[in-house]
Amino acid sequence: MQGRSPEQESVGSGTKRSSVSSGDRSRNQKEFFYKFVESEGLTAELVDWFESLTEKCAPKQQAFDVPFELIELQKFDYALEGISFQQLIRMPKAVHASTSDAVEATAYLAIEDFLHASVKGLWEAFWSQDELMPFSVACLYNSNMKFYQAEKAIANGRLGGLFATGILLNNSRHPHGRWDHVLELALLRPDIRGLAVGCDQKPSPSVLGEALFCAVRMLLARSLSRLSFFPDSSTIFVLLVDSQYGGVVKVEGDVNKLNFDVNNVYGCAAEWVKNHSRISVSPINRIWNKLGNANWGDIGALQVLFAIFHCIMQYAGMPKHSVEDLAADHSSRLQTRRIERQLEVTRENGNGLFRYQQHSVSPEIVEVQEDSVKVESKELMRLEVGSLLWLEDSDWQKGYQIREVINTGELTYYTASYVEDPEKNMFLYVGSHPSQLEPAWEDMNLWYQVQRQTKVLTIMKQKGLSSKYLPELSASGRIIHPGECRRPISGGNCDHPWCGTPILVTSPVGETVAEMVCTGQFGSDEAIRCCHDCLSALSIVGSAGIRHGDIRPENVICVKSGVRHPYFVLIGWGHAILEDRDRPAMNLHFSSTYALQEGKLCSASDAESLLYMLYHSCGGVFPDLDSVEGALQWRETSWSRRLIQQKLGDISTVLKAFADYVDSLCGTPYPMDYDIWLRRLRRNIHDEDRGKEIVATG
């Protein structure tokens, strides 16, 4: 776990800050924080700004972006299947609806129980079922800004002064909590949906002002803290809830850009909000039903859970079980459900070219014409050796015959030959039907393999990035299915289940490094040539700011057919990093240290993954890795003891020197010097066929 215990407080454990922040600025910052205690002061400073934002927005246009995209929530929803959340205290039907305090008290108990159930379920599902949950839930008392258990606060007559409910880090030294220990706050306010403005159901300025006050105060506390367990201390999530509905406010920004004028704390904070923060606000959706039970699978609860998930990750680092891993299990769960319902029926059409599975039964009569096939049920395509497949590529139709079916255990793809040129083989990838979201979510790898890789290779082609060490986009388009296509004139697909299925065709073809290792064909010469060829590919795409993000033995092929000397090609570009928001594949064995820690790539990340691949392919042994923490520990031990360098040094001194170079760059912003290492590696390749290297242009 990356986070350290809140009790391990010391000056040395603080986040890195410039020495300029000491002295007067530090004292002003502390005084600013202690004076920043009233949400009304900040809200009053922001009223005009809220109104101006509303006036600038066109009808039905939102003033703020949403914190989460729908596709993120869909994937998270699949990951949560089978995870148990149980709220024991039901939410009362209406907060503040009665003159009695009983309803309001029950509401605070219910929201505290809801947050406890949420954080406990997420911690055990994604991080650890064995370790004790390091969080607690408590309510914030407005007059002294301290935290109390809701039951104790109500018993001590503090109900009227409760301001929010928070998720905090456990710390026995501070029973009433510290603001730099707060992961997330939830504001319980009456009739959130009724106060929402506009058809997009965003919260009112008064409620949003309170949320921004909480966010700014949390950011200030973290900037003053000597603790270092917040890898990303510049992002805050605040929840807004009532007895039925809820939403999420996300605030991002560098609080060090705030002017710490202690005589104008709310004015300065408002200026920071306007000029230096990024605010995202979700729609207000239902969380609790009329019985007071949480609808855990609905979008209202889902976006709240996703915000809590991100807050836990700020403390605990990357989870042991990623969202992608748990979402992928949806496939097996769906298959089990189909078997239970006895829906799976395998059929084969008359041409013997395809196989499909019928996923539903219907008593209706299906009309079958001689040259047409019309099936109302969803079908999954199955291609076999000898099958013919026709592809619609722009205005052309291209035919391919399947030569080999390749199954890696995770994915299935094919070696195929072009009908008009049977001697030329290519890799052929078949995607999911665009209208069938469910199969695409069953196996996200398939989407990355076809649709995402098509996008990446197209961009590389448009930018003139080409080399024999990079795959070439031969064709991409949609399958032409058997029978008559009744595609509407206006566009779209007909009702045939294969219509519109995306296809990707690339060249050249070759044997993967994984296969070469299994057959004992990957020796020292191959290791040096592989390192050179993969670095050449990375150098070319790196000039355009593109990184691979998924280097492993299955994504490097050796081309031997039709060439004097074999060479290696870096394939599998579906997880390539094109822009900052892209995320690399997560692989416990081959991902770089920075990718496992931060979910991003640094300049040397691909080279580090390449070294792990060479280490493994040359006989290096990986331990049994079942968690991110274990993978990071192995990397730290291996580099500190120079195990990687020693193993590669048995192959070649240049590989050992290259490993030392990459080790010095890992996690730093310094760029890779590809040219010098390409020259050194080239000098160590025996009988080298330099070939025709085409550098990036455009």
Side-chain angles (χ1 to χ4, degrees), residues 319-335:
K320 291 182 180 179
H321 309 289
S322 69
V323 173
E324 289 77 10
D325 290 341
L326 293 185
D329 291 340
H330 173 73
S331 176
S332 59
R333 291 191 291 264
L334 185 62
Q335 186 67 16

Side-chain angles (χ1 to χ4, degrees), residues 76 79-80 82-86 113-129 133 135 296 305 308-309 312 321 326:
F76 190 62
L80 294 183
I83 297 176
S84 176
F85 298 96
Q86 188 177 20
D113 192 51
F114 171 81
L115 292 178
H116 176 82
S118 300
V119 73
K120 183 175 185 291
L122 292 173
W123 174 259
E124 293 179 352
F126 289 94
W127 278 271
S128 176
Q129 289 186 336
M133 182 181 72
F135 312 110
W296 295 105
L305 287 172
I308 296 173
F309 173 83
I312 298 175
H321 309 289
L326 293 185

Side-chain angles (χ1 to χ4, degrees), residues 369-427:
Q369 301 175 1
E370 183 176 352
D371 296 322
S372 174
V373 179
K374 181 177 181 180
V375 185
E376 296 298 331
S377 63
K378 295 180 182 177
E379 300 162 1
L380 295 177
M381 187 183 310
R382 295 291 183 267
L383 299 175
E384 298 175 343
V385 174
S387 298
L388 289 174
L389 181 145
W390 289 89
L391 169 68
E392 183 180 30
D393 183 9
S394 300
D395 297 327
W396 298 87
Q397 294 184 358
K398 298 180 179 180
Y400 298 90
Q401 185 171 25
I402 303 301
R403 292 294 183 89
E404 182 184 4
V405 179
I406 303 170
N407 192 328
T408 66
E410 295 180 356
L411 296 167
T412 299
Y413 60 103
Y414 310 90
T415 299
S417 61
Y418 187 27
V419 171
E420 296 184 7
D421 186 5
E423 298 301 319
K424 185 175 183 181
N425 289 331
M426 292 166 250
F427 283 138

Side-chain angles (χ1 to χ4, degrees), residues 468-469 529 533 558-568 685-691:
K468 71 176 185 178
Y469 307 121
R529 190 184 299 273
D533 296 353
C558 181
V559 179
K560 300 177 181 179
S561 177
V563 296
R564 282 183 56 200
H565 298 289
Y567 63 91
F568 291 86
I685 295 177
H686 304 296
D687 298 324
E688 179 193 36
D689 177 16
R690 300 180 189 277

Side-chain angles (χ1 to χ4, degrees), residues 427 509-513 515-516 519 521 556-560:
F427 283 138
V509 300
E511 189 178 17
T512 66
V513 168
E515 294 170 324
M516 295 178 70
T519 55
Q521 300 179 52
V556 180
I557 61 171
C558 181
V559 179
K560 300 177 181 179

Side-chain angles (χ1 to χ4, degrees), residues 15 50 58 177 207 210 283 295 351 466 471 505 611 619 661:
T15 53
F50 287 143
V207 176
E210 288 182 307
N295 297 319
N351 297 328
S466 60
V505 183
L611 287 174
Y661 172 73

Side-chain angles (χ1 to χ4, degrees), residues 448-496:
Y448 281 107
Q449 184 191 45
V450 183
Q451 286 97 319
R452 182 71 182 357
Q453 186 170 201
T454 299
K455 174 185 175 180
V456 174
L457 294 181
T458 300
I459 291 174
M460 288 165 57
K461 191 172 185 178
Q462 291 170 347
K463 293 187 175 184
L465 306 176
S466 60
S467 165
K468 71 176 185 178
Y469 307 121
L470 291 169
E472 179 183 354
L473 176 63
S474 299
S476 66
R478 308 193 302 179
I479 190 174
I480 302 174
H481 58 78
E484 181 183 354
C485 183
R486 297 185 175 88
R487 188 184 306 164
I489 300 176
S490 58
N493 304 313
C494 72
D495 56 0
H496 193 286

